[in-house]
């Protein structure tokens, strides 16, 4: 992944930045009536290598951190292998800059032909008609849900059409301090609620003042969503008109987070990034964060003895917030039949390199890549033991805006003790429902 800061910036700002930018570049029209319409005669992909004249593809992505060198190495190999036929020009921008820039650049013919975007942006860009469907690609290659982690495969579908091919899954994990756990006779973090809470109590008795710091910002909303799903809740109604995270499952999830402060396992009002910094500095026993921190810990916390496993099952159902990098083809490529074929070939080829991509700290989306002996022993693969636990944001256009302006603020308000969990969620849901109604109008097709 990118560095924790740029990753956090993207997930925290994606909705607010993206909706504003997309609305602005629509020139006052409905967002669904965007300028990027699919080419009427785009050729069907039949598989096999690209055989047309030489083309140059502009490829945009947000791999600006520790994952960047791995992607650049994959691209260099591709360009050498297919020199004289396809040249891929790599354009790397921070995620929070890439998303608002894409529609305007594509409309002007100066954007990407292919790109990597996160799954929760697929619906927004598909509704904007910035992307072209890729059903013929997966059809020609006989790809199906059986070849991938099911949840990430289904996350690439919007209104019955496939707009993306998944490269990976990245999710929250539970990092633990091995030396701290040894003090209470454990070799790894407990996987269930009773064991986890008992371990926290024992750690406090063993002299760890605050073994599990509870953030109010990043990644608090990711923790909340994981706990919501664990308690049997859902984020939004199937038709995308109602926020459901304010019900009883949401209250139980958020209450558990607040209880960690009430029980003295966490300080109050933990500052941004403090929980992860404290973990790296040997002060915290447990911290929930993304698998993108693996390489950071290996590089910048070499003296720390740490382990990683799935987030514990607190609510009764194994579930964890997850996201995914996805290859997409844009409407800019759709204006040139040769680019369409070359872009689809590139997407297929790169998707099959997910074994190499796993070295960047990702969980390969393809089942065959995770079974590769070179990948199977990587620390993040353990988190894929239960594929049914991965949960993703739905492909709702503008969902990031709802998350940042409603859900995230509600979680922060409760953790900061500015309102009870039920009050904070009730207020947040009211805001979310208004935003969902606005999005229905803005993205009408």
């Amino acid at each position: 992944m990118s560095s924790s800061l740029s990753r956090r910036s993207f997930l925290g700002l994606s909705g607010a930045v993206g909706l504003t930018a997309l609305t602005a570049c629509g020139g006052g029209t409905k967002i669904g009536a965007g300028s990027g319409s699919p080419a009427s005669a785009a050729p069907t992909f039949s598989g096999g290598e690209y055989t047309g004249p030489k083309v140059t593809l502009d490829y945009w992505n947000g791999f600006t951190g520790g994952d960047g060198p791995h992607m650049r190495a994959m691209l260099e190999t591709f360009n050498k292998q297919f020199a004289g036929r396809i040249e891929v020009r790599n354009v790397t921008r921070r995620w929070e800059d890439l998303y608002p820039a894409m529609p305007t650049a594509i409309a002007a013919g100066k954007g990407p032909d292919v790109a990597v975007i996160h799954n929760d942006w697929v619906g927004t860009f598909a509704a904007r008609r910035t992307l072209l469907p890729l059903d013929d690609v997966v059809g020609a290659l006989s790809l199906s849900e059986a070849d991938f982690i099911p949840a990430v495969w289904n996350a690439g579908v919007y209104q019955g059409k496939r707009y993306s091919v998944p490269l990976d899954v990245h999710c929250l994990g539970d990092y633990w301090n091995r030396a701290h756990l040894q003090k209470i006779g454990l070799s790894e973090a407990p996987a269930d609620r009773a064991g986890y809470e008992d371990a926290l109590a024992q750690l406090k008795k063993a002299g760890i003042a605050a073994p599990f710091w509870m953030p109010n910002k990043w990644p608090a909303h990711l923790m909340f969503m994981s706990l919501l799903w664990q308690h049997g809740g859902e984020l939004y109604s199937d038709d995308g008109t109602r926020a459901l995270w304010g019900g009883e499952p949401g209250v139980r999830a958020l209450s558990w987070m607040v209880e960690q402060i009430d029980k003295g396992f966490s300080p109050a009002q933990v500052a941004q990034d403090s929980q992860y910094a404290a973990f790296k500095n040997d002060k915290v026993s447990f911290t929930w964060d993304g698998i993108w921190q693996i390489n950071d810990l290996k590089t910048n916390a070499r003296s720390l003895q740490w382990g990683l496993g799935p987030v514990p099952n607190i609510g009764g159902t194994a579930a964890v917030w997850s996201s995914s990098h996805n290859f997409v083809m844009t409407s800019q490529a759709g204006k040139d039949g040769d680019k369409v074929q070359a872009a689809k070939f590139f997407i297929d080829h790169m998707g099959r390199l997910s074994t190499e991509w796993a070295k960047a700290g990702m969980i390969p989306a393809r089942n065959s890549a995770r079974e590769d002996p070179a990948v199977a022993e990587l620390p993040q693969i353990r988190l894929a033991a239960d594929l049914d636990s991965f949960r993703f944001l739905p492909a709702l256009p503008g969902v990031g805006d709802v998350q940042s302006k409603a859900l995230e603020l509600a979680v922060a308000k409760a953790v900061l003790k500015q309102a009870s969990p039920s009050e904070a969620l009730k207020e947040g849901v009211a805001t979310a429902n208004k935003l969902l109604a606005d999005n229905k109008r803005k993205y009408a097709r």
Side-chain angles (χ1 to χ4, degrees):
M1 288 301 297
S2 305
S3 68
S4 59
L5 179 59
S6 62
R7 186 81 184 111
R8 182 175 304 109
S9 298
F10 153 66
L11 285 169
L13 298 175
S14 60
V17 173
L19 249 183
T20 301
L22 289 173
T23 304
C25 71
T29 62
K30 289 184 178 179
I31 290 184
S35 58
S37 58
S40 58
T44 299
F45 184 71
S46 57
E49 292 195 7
Y50 173 71
T51 58
K54 182 180 179 180
V55 296
T56 299
L57 299 176
D58 286 320
Y59 167 53
W60 286 23
N61 62 80
F63 300 127
T64 59
D67 44 17
H70 295 276
M71 179 55 69
R72 289 194 294 273
M74 292 162 64
L75 287 173
E76 288 173 6
T77 299
F78 180 91
N79 280 332
K80 287 180 181 179
Q81 184 174 352
F82 300 103
R85 285 182 283 171
I86 304 174
E87 178 186 359
V88 178
R89 295 190 300 206
N90 187 40
V91 178
T92 303
R93 308 178 69 166
R94 289 169 62 90
W95 295 112
E96 60 267 34
D97 299 326
L98 182 147
Y99 288 120
M102 271 183 61
T104 304
I106 289 170
K110 298 180 180 180
D113 301 300
V114 289
V116 165
I117 66 174
H118 291 85
N119 63 278
D120 48 328
W121 278 87
V122 170
T124 301
F125 283 137
R128 179 75 171 129
R129 300 183 186 176
T130 303
L131 308 180
L132 295 184
L134 294 173
D135 298 276
D136 60 334
V137 175
V138 298
L141 301 173
S142 299
L143 296 176
S144 70
E145 180 180 309
D147 299 302
F148 293 84
I149 295 172
V152 72
W153 179 251
N154 295 327
V157 175
Y158 175 70
Q159 292 191 348
K161 293 183 179 181
R162 171 161 299 282
Y163 287 91
S164 67
V165 175
L167 177 63
D168 62 42
V169 169
H170 41 274
C171 63
L172 280 188
D174 183 21
Y175 294 86
W176 64 79
N177 184 308
R178 292 188 182 277
H180 287 194
L181 293 191
Q182 287 174 359
K183 292 182 179 182
I184 60 173
L186 294 178
S187 59
E188 60 182 48
D192 64 333
R193 179 171 184 164
Y196 207 78
E197 292 178 345
D198 181 63
L200 288 171
Q202 290 189 52
L203 286 163
K204 195 169 180 64
K205 289 180 181 179
I208 310 300
F212 183 39
W213 290 21
M214 183 58 58
N216 62 81
K217 294 184 179 179
W218 176 274
H221 59 299
L222 311 184
M223 297 173 70
F224 168 74
M225 286 187 281
S226 300
L227 292 165
L228 169 76
W229 285 313
Q230 288 188 6
H231 283 90
E234 292 294 340
L235 285 171
Y236 302 100
S237 61
D238 290 340
D239 62 1
T241 61
R242 292 179 298 118
L244 305 178
W245 38 264
E248 187 59 29
V251 173
R252 291 200 299 269
L254 191 50
S255 295
W256 188 85
M257 295 173 65
V258 174
E259 285 171 7
Q260 306 317 301
I261 302 171
D262 295 340
K263 292 178 179 179
F265 300 143
S266 170
Q269 299 183 343
V270 173
Q272 182 77 39
D273 297 332
S274 293
Q275 76 286 346
Y276 181 64
F279 180 77
K280 288 176 66 173
N281 289 312
D282 210 27
K283 295 181 180 180
V284 172
S285 306
F286 298 117
T287 194
W288 297 6
D289 215 316
I291 60 174
W292 48 86
Q293 303 291 26
I294 291 173
N295 288 341
D296 177 61
L297 290 172
K298 288 180 178 179
T299 303
N300 300 313
R302 295 181 180 178
S303 63
L304 180 69
Q305 301 177 51
W306 59 274
L308 172 65
V311 297
N313 185 345
I314 302 297
T317 299
V320 62
W321 168 88
S322 309
S323 187
S324 171
H325 294 118
N326 294 257
F327 282 107
V328 296
M329 181 174 64
T330 74
S331 55
Q332 176 175 301
K335 298 174 182 178
D336 183 318
D338 291 321
K339 281 193 173 185
V340 169
Q341 290 288 50
K344 290 178 178 179
F345 171 72
F346 172 74
I347 288 171
D348 166 46
H349 185 88
M350 294 295 285
R352 288 187 277 110
L353 298 179
S354 53
T355 297
E356 172 65 26
W357 183 239
K359 297 176 184 177
M362 302 295 113
I363 299 172
R366 296 201 184 205
N367 298 334
S368 58
R370 293 195 310 282
E371 296 164 0
D372 186 321
V375 173
E377 299 303 318
L378 294 174
Q380 69 268 27
I381 301 304
R382 182 182 179 187
L383 277 60
D386 181 3
L387 299 181
D388 292 334
S389 67
F390 292 125
R391 304 295 177 89
F392 295 83
L393 286 172
L396 294 176
V399 68
D401 206 40
V402 184
Q403 294 285 108
S404 63
K405 293 183 178 180
L407 184 146
E408 294 179 31
L409 295 181
V411 170
K413 199 167 188 177
V415 174
L416 290 171
K417 300 296 189 71
Q418 296 173 354
S420 69
S422 59
E423 291 170 344
L425 291 174
K426 182 179 180 180
E427 180 182 339
V429 164
T431 300
N433 287 340
K434 292 178 182 178
L435 292 170
L436 289 169
D438 289 343
N439 286 347
K440 278 289 184 181
R441 292 188 292 270
K442 290 176 181 177
Y443 291 93
R445 298 195 72 164

